[in-house]
């Protein structure tokens, strides 16, 4: 023991003399002017020894704990540990043991320097991506604590490709999700050379059933559709854009409605379904999807997707249904208000206008600020025309909410027939009803109806069909088509529920999510009610009320027998004089009212009026991916029900099959999906028949040329 410390111990030290100084990574403990301990600030063992030494010098445990930044209980624990085990007990490493040994950490540094991704290193080490990312800074890899962002900058295409020698990996270090992946030697070079796709490997996935959706995506050529968005096929350092879009659409199909929910499923289980080893983290998906959306036209992407879908399965009837879907906005930006049909009140938000065909498939959509169907319909019809072509016959159906003359006029200008229900009370038919036999679901149904021509105010002539049940009219259909069978029109309008079902199923895919709250604040030029006109109308109403009161007074005095003739004439003359004065004022106010517009731009009334306009590109891209997932499930459910014959439960059964586990095997020339057997023998037989149908023309993953075959594990 040094002389200085011995001198301190000769007398009781003052508590105020104990101090701790931290400078440049070093900690020094002093008593008065004497330094009694010095150690690296990261050395917990030396700190513990200094704590025990100070208590031995006579300082109380509470004072030592206060200076050293510890709790008195922990100081007492260290003293007891020193008595039992000596100094060895003070420097023992505490906490959970490290998941990686020093040799594994050094190997991680070598692999990272060779260009391997964090996900690939984690897979080799048998740990999570976050664990691998935490240890990389310790070996001098700057910036590896964060997951690699996708290299979509311009210089990513000119980056030199590193050369990596084949690496032999222990089987225990290549676990993927809940099962080990057999990783051949060649895959390491494939990942290092920049391939975003799985080259060769065997992957166990609890979402293997979602691979069935590729039967539809291949049918509509999803890879070619994504190329319409300017999405390049050349591979990125980790993931390509087509793989990202496929993965996000798969996440939506699995029932994770928002992009934020993509963090809930096991990414290593979802990745192989999209053709990549692991789905990117949310902090990677967000910026990459935003970059794709900002660099393309989502409507062009949707247009290409719908055209490919209709080319594969044409809409032979030419009947489409249109409706609007309101998405509420709960932020503070000055967004336009619309009518929320679910909550039955007006609130800020956006509106999507969707068109579905008679089979219930989503064909196209437009998105914008809340407005009436007559305002949003022209843009939506223009999209539909681009998809179907100029010569295709279109009949557009909508419900009573859009049955206005201006909507009819919009359809006529677009050379589109329309059919809807009459608003308000039914009118009395002017012709006698007739009986027609229809075949519906294989059964003959008899309907009683009338068919006549009526005049619609502010539009012109239209065809009116009245349906009778039990001798009384129950509904009336208005249409511009004068040639189609009336019974067929009744059948089509009874299929109006298909677009309602579409919205119901799209709720499952998160259609209510805005996806992007970023908005541009601009001058509000939207027409609003003119307060000057409102004030003038109020003034006119007051004058008219006063005039009517005076007229009533004249009638009262003429029936009052208590008044003399002179009093009667006097009151009557005075009232008439006031009425003439009021009528002159009323005429003046009415003339003035004609010159005041009913609506004015909001910035004219209030120069400070602002409005927020959401940027639609990012929501538009996610909507395309949602509609792709919805239509893929719709197609798969229809094909499954051809064997299942269960119209009540076939959609739920299909949705459960997407979560069927299995093994996905990637080879150099094929992709094989071996699904786990379903829960019941009947469903197993049905799924076997469906797989046999799909295998007759093997599909491909978007952006991958290898055919996919399906079997059920026996």
């Amino acid at each position: 023991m040094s002389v200085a410390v011995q001198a301190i111990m000769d007398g009781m030290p003052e508590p105020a003399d104990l101090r701790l100084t931290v400078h440049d990574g070093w900690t020094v403990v002093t008593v008065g002017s004497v330094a009694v301990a010095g150690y690296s600030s990261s050395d917990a063992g030396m700190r513990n020894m200094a704590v025990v030494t100070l208590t031995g010098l006579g300082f109380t445990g509470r004072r030592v704990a206060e200076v050293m930044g510890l709790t008195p209980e922990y100081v007492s624990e260290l003293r007891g540990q020193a008595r039992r085990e000596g100094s060895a007990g003070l420097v023992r490493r505490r906490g959970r043991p490290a998941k990686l040994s020093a040799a594994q950490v050094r190997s991680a540094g070598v692999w990272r320097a060779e260009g391997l991704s964090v996900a690939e290193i984690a897979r080799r080490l048998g740990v999570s991506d976050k664990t691998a990312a935490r240890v990389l800074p310790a070996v001098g890899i700057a910036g590896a604590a964060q997951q690699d962002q996708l290299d979509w900058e311009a210089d990513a295409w000119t980056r030199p490709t590193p050369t990596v020698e084949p690496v032999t990996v222990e089987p225990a270090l290549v676990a993927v999700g809940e099962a080990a992946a057999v990783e051949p030697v060649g895959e390491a070079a494939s990942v290092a050379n920049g391939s975003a796709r799985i080259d060769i490997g065997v992957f166990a996935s609890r979402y293997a059933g979602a691979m069935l959706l590729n039967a539809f995506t291949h049918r509509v050529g999803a890879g070619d559709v994504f190329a319409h968005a300017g999405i390049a096929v050349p591979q990125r350092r980790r993931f390509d854009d087509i793989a990202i879009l496929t993965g996000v659409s798969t996440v939506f199909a699995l029932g994770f409605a928002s992009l934020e929910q993509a963090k809930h499923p096991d990414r290593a289980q979802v990745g192989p379904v999209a053709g990549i080893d692991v789905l990117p983290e949310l902090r990677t998906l967000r910026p990459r999807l935003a970059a794709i959306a900002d660099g393309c036209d989502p409507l062009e992407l949707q247009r290409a997707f719908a055209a490919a879908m209709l080319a594969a399965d044409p809409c032979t009837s030419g009947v489409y249904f249109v409706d609007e879907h309101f998405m509420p906005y709960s932020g503070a930006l000055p967004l336009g208000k619309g009518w929320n049909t679910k909550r039955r009140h007006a609130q800020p938000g956006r509106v999507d206008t969707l068109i579905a065909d008679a089979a219930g498939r989503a064909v196209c959509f437009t998105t914008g600020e809340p407005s009436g169907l007559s305002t949003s319909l022209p843009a939506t019809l223009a999209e539909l025309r681009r998809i179907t072509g100029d010569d295709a016959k279109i009949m557009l159906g909508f419900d009573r909410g859009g049955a206005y003359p201006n909507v009819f006029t919009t359809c006529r200008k677009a050379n589109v027939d329309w059919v809807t229900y009459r608003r308000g009370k039914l009118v009395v038919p002017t012709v006698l009803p007739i009986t027609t036999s229809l075949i519906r679901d294989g059964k003959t149904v008899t309907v009683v109806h009338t068919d006549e021509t009526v005049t619609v105010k502010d539009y012109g002539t239209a065809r009116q069909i009245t349906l009778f049940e039990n001798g009384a009219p129950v509904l009336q259909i208005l249409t511009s088509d004068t040639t189609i069978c009336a019974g067929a029109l009744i059948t089509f309008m009874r299929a109006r529920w298909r677009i309602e079902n579409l919205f119901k199923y799209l709720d499952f895919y998160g259609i209510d999510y805005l996806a992007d709250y970023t908005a541009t604040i601009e001058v509000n030029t939207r027409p609003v009610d003119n307060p000057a006109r409102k004030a003038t109308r109020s003034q006119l109403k007051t004058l008219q009320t006063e005039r009517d009161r005076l007229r009533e007074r004249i009638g009262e005095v003429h029936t009052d027998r208590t008044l003399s003739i002179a009093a009667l004439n006097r009151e009557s003359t005075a009232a008439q004089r006031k009425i003439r004065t009021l009528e002159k004022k009323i005429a003046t106010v009415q003339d003035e009212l004609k010159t005041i517009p009913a609506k004015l731009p909001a910035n004219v009334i209030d120069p400070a009026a602002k409005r927020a306009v959401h940027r639609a590109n990012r929501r538009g891209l996610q909507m395309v991916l949602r509609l792709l997932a919805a239509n893929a499930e719709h197609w798969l459910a229809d094909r499954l029900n051809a064997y299942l014959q269960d119209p009540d439960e076939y959609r739920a059964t299909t949705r459960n099959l997407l979560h069927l586990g299995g093994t996905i095997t990637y080879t150099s020339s094929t992709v094989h999906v071996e699904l786990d057997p379903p829960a019941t023998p009947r469903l197993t037989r049905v799924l076997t028949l469906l797989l046999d149908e799909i295998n007759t023309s093997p599909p491909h993953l978007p952006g991958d040329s290898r055919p996919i075959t399906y079997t059920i594990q026996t």
Side-chain angles (χ1 to χ4, degrees):
M1 184 177 297
S2 66
V3 177
V5 175
Q6 181 64 46
I8 294 174
M9 295 180 64
D10 290 341
M12 180 65 66
E14 292 293 332
D17 292 339
L18 181 60
R19 294 183 179 86
L20 181 141
T21 304
V22 180
H23 176 70
D24 198 19
W26 280 87
T27 301
V28 178
V29 182
T30 59
V31 179
S33 60
V34 179
V36 297
Y39 53 88
S40 173
S41 299
S42 61
D43 193 340
M46 290 300 297
R47 182 207 61 189
N48 295 342
M49 294 183 67
V51 168
V52 176
T53 300
L54 291 174
T55 57
L57 292 177
F59 291 100
T60 64
R62 186 177 299 276
R63 175 57 181 166
V64 173
E66 179 183 353
V67 173
M68 301 297 287
L70 305 173
T71 63
E73 293 78 11
Y74 186 60
V75 172
S76 177
E77 182 182 342
L78 290 177
R79 294 180 63 185
Q81 202 162 359
R83 287 194 298 269
R84 294 189 301 270
E85 304 178 26
S87 60
L90 299 177
V91 299
R92 186 177 62 205
R93 183 178 180 86
R94 295 175 176 272
R96 184 179 299 174
K99 292 185 178 181
L100 298 177
S101 64
Q104 287 177 313
V105 172
R106 287 193 297 270
S107 298
V110 173
W111 290 334
R112 187 63 171 134
E114 291 173 345
L116 295 186
S117 65
V118 177
E120 174 62 19
I121 294 173
R123 204 172 82 180
R124 292 187 176 194
L125 297 176
V127 296
S128 67
D129 294 359
K130 294 182 179 179
T131 300
R134 279 195 298 267
V135 303
L136 288 174
V139 294
I141 307 299
Q146 297 183 354
Q147 183 188 8
D148 297 340
Q149 300 296 320
L150 300 184
D151 291 331
W152 49 270
E153 294 84 2
D155 60 349
W157 303 105
T158 58
R159 183 181 291 107
T161 302
T163 303
V164 178
E165 296 296 329
V167 180
T168 303
V169 184
E170 295 294 333
L173 299 182
V174 292
V176 178
E178 297 177 350
V182 180
E183 181 184 6
V185 173
E187 186 177 355
S190 174
V191 173
N193 287 335
S195 174
R197 299 276 174 183
I198 296 175
D199 185 7
I200 299 174
V202 180
F203 301 86
S205 174
R206 66 172 69 107
Y207 307 119
M211 290 288 285
L212 294 171
L213 298 175
N214 291 310
F216 175 81
T217 59
H218 173 69
R219 184 180 181 86
V220 301
D224 297 333
V225 169
F226 290 151
H228 279 77
I231 298 170
V233 177
Q235 309 298 320
R236 311 278 177 171
R237 182 157 60 94
R238 292 198 55 203
F239 306 104
D240 66 7
D241 290 338
I242 294 180
I244 287 180
L245 297 180
T246 303
V248 173
S249 183
T250 301
V251 169
F252 291 148
L254 292 172
F256 301 97
S258 68
L259 186 62
E260 283 66 28
Q261 293 180 14
K263 62 186 177 183
H264 295 310
D266 189 334
R267 297 182 298 110
Q269 303 278 329
V270 178
V273 179
I276 50 181
D277 55 353
V278 61
L279 185 72
E281 286 190 355
L282 187 58
R283 59 184 177 182
T284 299
L285 283 177
R286 277 200 191 104
R288 185 58 212 149
L289 282 177
I292 294 173
D294 293 340
C296 74
D297 182 2
L299 283 180
E300 176 65 28
L301 182 63
Q302 160 65 14
R303 194 178 303 134
F305 158 64
M309 180 180 65
L310 293 180
D313 296 298
C315 178
T316 55
S317 66
V319 177
Y320 299 88
F321 298 104
V322 62
D323 205 348
E324 291 185 332
H325 180 78
F326 180 80
M327 297 157 292
Y329 168 76
S330 56
L333 295 178
L335 231 64
K337 287 188 176 182
W339 185 254
N340 189 338
T341 56
K342 293 182 178 179
R343 297 186 177 272
R344 309 301 299 175
H345 65 80
Q347 68 179 107
R350 290 184 63 82
V351 168
D352 280 343
T353 305
L354 278 92
I355 289 183
D357 64 4
R361 302 176 298 179
V363 177
C364 68
F365 74 96
T366 56
T367 183
E369 296 183 78
S371 60
L373 186 61
S374 60
T375 302
S376 60
L377 190 57
T380 312
L381 283 179
E383 286 299 310
L384 182 60
R385 268 295 177 208
R386 292 183 181 181
I387 294 169
T388 60
D390 296 335
D391 299 330
K393 181 175 176 58
I394 296 176
M395 172 172 282
L396 196 63
F398 40 86
D399 58 17
R400 294 178 178 88
Y404 289 97
N406 52 0
V407 177
F408 304 157
T409 304
T410 300
C411 293
R412 182 166 58 190
K413 291 179 179 178
N415 194 26
V416 169
D417 286 322
W418 53 268
V419 58
T420 185
Y421 299 109
R422 176 181 283 278
R423 292 176 61 87
K425 296 181 179 180
L426 304 183
V427 299
V428 179
T430 60
V431 297
L432 294 176
I434 59 176
T435 301
T436 303
S437 296
L438 304 175
I439 298 178
R440 185 183 302 150
D441 298 330
K443 300 178 180 179
T444 301
V445 179
T446 301
V447 296
V448 180
H449 65 88
T450 61
D451 191 349
E452 58 186 321
T453 301
V454 297
T455 300
V456 178
K457 184 181 178 181
D458 298 328
Y459 171 74
T461 59
R463 185 181 181 188
Q464 177 179 282
I465 300 170
T466 305
L467 178 65
F468 288 79
E469 289 184 359
N470 299 323
V474 292
L475 65 85
Q476 286 180 331
I477 297 173
L478 295 175
T479 180
S480 62
D481 192 300
T482 59
T483 59
I484 193 171
C485 172
L489 281 177
I490 294 173
T491 303
F492 284 142
M493 290 308 292
R494 285 183 178 272
R496 177 67 179 75
W497 58 268
R498 290 187 181 274
I499 194 168
E500 302 298 338
N501 274 358
L502 173 66
F503 284 122
K504 179 181 72 175
Y505 292 128
L506 285 178
D507 283 342
F508 175 79
Y509 295 104
I511 190 177
D512 283 328
Y513 289 90
L514 287 173
D516 181 28
Y517 276 61
T518 306
T520 301
I521 306 299
E522 60 183 32
V523 176
N524 188 1
T525 59
R526 296 192 67 179
V528 297
D529 292 337
N530 188 350
R533 184 178 178 87
K534 182 179 180 180
T536 304
R537 290 182 65 88
S538 178
Q539 180 186 1
L540 177 62
K541 185 176 181 180
T542 301
L543 293 174
Q544 290 173 337
T545 302
E546 178 66 16
R547 180 195 61 186
D548 295 340
R549 188 186 65 80
L550 290 172
R551 287 175 175 175
E552 292 175 358
R553 179 57 183 163
I554 292 175
E556 291 175 357
V557 298
H558 278 80
T559 58
D560 189 353
R561 297 183 180 275
T562 62
L563 292 177
S564 63
I565 298 298
L568 175 62
N569 291 335
R570 186 171 54 253
E571 287 202 25
S572 178
T573 302
Q576 290 176 355
R577 187 166 49 249
K578 290 180 181 180
I579 288 175
R580 287 194 295 269
T581 303
L582 288 173
E583 286 181 341
K584 291 180 181 179
K585 292 182 179 179
I586 290 173
T588 302
V589 173
Q590 287 177 336
D591 292 339
E592 181 183 355
L593 187 63
K594 295 178 181 179
T595 63
I596 301 175
K599 292 181 178 292
L600 284 176
N603 64 317
V604 174
I605 298 173
D606 180 10
K610 302 290 183 182
R611 69 168 178 171
V613 179
H614 271 151
R615 301 173 186 174
N617 276 16
R618 298 183 182 182
R619 169 168 171 76
L621 179 63
Q622 290 196 28
M623 273 291 294
V624 171
L625 299 180
R626 287 186 169 98
L627 297 185
L628 176 62
N631 286 339
E633 185 205 311
H634 177 82
W635 180 89
L636 186 64
D638 284 345
R639 298 312 308 147
L640 181 71
N641 197 43
Y643 305 106
L644 188 63
Q645 294 297 307
D646 187 356
D648 295 328
E649 296 294 334
Y650 75 102
R651 292 299 294 260
T653 301
T654 304
R655 196 164 286 171
N656 288 332
L657 286 180
L658 299 183
H659 292 262
L660 197 64
T663 303
I664 306 173
T665 303
Y666 286 87
T667 68
S668 58
S669 58
T670 61
V671 179
H672 180 70
V673 181
E674 186 178 33
L675 298 175
D676 295 338
T680 63
R682 174 173 177 254
L683 190 55
T684 301
R685 290 193 299 270
V686 169
L687 182 58
T688 301
L689 295 174
L690 177 62
L691 296 185
D692 290 342
E693 177 187 339
I694 296 175
N695 287 334
T696 57
S697 180
H700 303 266
L701 273 167
D704 196 322
S705 60
R706 291 172 289 185
I708 306 173
T709 56
Y710 302 85
T711 58
I712 299 178
Q713 184 180 4
T714 57

